[in-house]
Amino acid sequence: MNLESTITWHLFLRELESVNHRFELMEVRDNWLLLYSQTTDQKYELRENHALYLTCQNKGGYMPL
């Protein structure tokens, strides 16, 4: 892992843990994570398919990260 990707990873984690989202890790699977946002009171799946993206379990849609 080079310095740029390390910095990007840390910025990504800071965003997930920020007061804007306040995600908690609920479950880990082989190819996705289940996160809970204390801010929106919703569950999200963090998946990877050539890019990381979040999907809301209840309302659909996705957000590329």
Side-chain angles (χ1 to χ4, degrees), residues 5-41:
S5 62
T6 302
I7 291 170
T8 302
W9 178 249
H10 284 278
L11 290 173
F12 169 72
L13 291 177
R14 281 184 76 172
E15 181 64 25
L16 288 180
E17 296 172 341
S18 74
V19 294
N20 296 335
H21 306 293
R22 296 176 55 204
F23 283 114
E24 291 180 19
L25 181 62
M26 296 186 69
E27 187 177 338
V28 177
R29 297 279 178 109
D30 288 338
N31 58 350
W32 59 271
L33 303 175
L34 181 61
L35 303 173
Y36 170 74
S37 172
Q38 296 176 9
T39 305
T40 63
D41 193 31

